[in-house]
Amino acid sequence: MFGSKKKRRASLNDLMAQLRPDLSRESLGVGPGFPGVAPNPFLSSDARKRNAELRTGVLALGVLVDWREVNSNPRVVLMFDVETAGGTSFRGIADENLTITELTRLAPGQTMPVRYRPTVMDHYVTLARDADPAHVQQLSDEIASRKRT
């Protein structure tokens, strides 16, 4: 309660790394600039703000690398290799609540539309469930044509 907020945040990240080493920065494949996975995103004002910004973020394509179950809701952390329309590639992390059906259909190598915040670039992404299929196809074609040349 007392002390600097930065010190509390650092200790929370250390605690999460001890309790869930599979959710540490190293196991997720992100660098020290990654803020970390919130134990309960509904109680974290930073996580609520981030999720609101991500819902209006820029569309990109993510190739599913792996995922980790956080709890049995099922809340999962999805790891993507993200490719943007501008040609930037990065490891993206999505903290999502999925249905059991969606969870059973997850397979490494799947390409999914995601949204990210280009002004922040903190590795956070979210699934773009509302994305127009025509826009996703156009983005996919644009990325594929860039890779061919």
Side-chain angles (χ1 to χ4, degrees):
M1 190 121 216
F2 299 103
S4 73
K5 188 174 182 179
K6 187 174 185 176
K7 187 175 184 177
R8 284 195 316 255
R9 184 173 292 137
S11 64
L12 179 63
N13 288 334
D14 294 340
L15 179 64
M16 279 299 291
Q18 290 174 354
L19 295 174
R20 292 291 307 266
D22 58 325
L23 296 176
S24 70
R25 291 177 174 99
E26 294 78 24
S27 69
L28 294 174
V30 295
F34 180 61
V37 175
N40 185 343
F42 298 112
L43 296 179
S44 167
S45 62
D46 291 338
R48 286 193 307 269
K49 180 181 173 196
R50 177 185 67 239
N51 291 340
E53 290 173 356
L54 283 169
R55 281 192 289 275
T56 60
V58 177
L59 191 64
L61 292 181
V63 176
L64 184 64
V65 175
D66 199 2
W67 66 93
R68 308 272 195 275
E69 277 192 62
V70 177
N71 62 26
S72 59
N73 279 357
R75 178 177 163 217
V76 294
V77 173
L78 304 166
M79 292 170 276
F80 293 99
D81 284 334
V82 179
E83 184 84 23
T84 69
T88 306
S89 298
F90 64 94
R91 171 64 51 95
I93 306 296
D95 189 346
E96 299 282 340
N97 288 318
L98 301 178
T99 65
I100 296 295
T101 304
E102 291 171 324
L103 186 62
T104 59
R105 291 182 179 163
L106 289 178
Q110 281 180 307
T111 301
M112 300 177 177
V114 296
R115 294 193 187 279
Y116 72 103
R117 300 177 297 173
T119 57
V120 179
M121 293 302 288
D122 61 357
H123 296 283
Y124 280 113
V125 298
T126 189
L127 292 177
R129 298 170 192 232
D130 63 338
D132 178 29
H135 191 195
V136 172
Q137 185 61 48
Q138 178 186 4
L139 178 62
S140 178
D141 294 342
E142 183 180 326
I143 291 170
S145 69
R146 187 176 53 246
K147 286 184 178 181
R148 279 182 287 212
T149 58

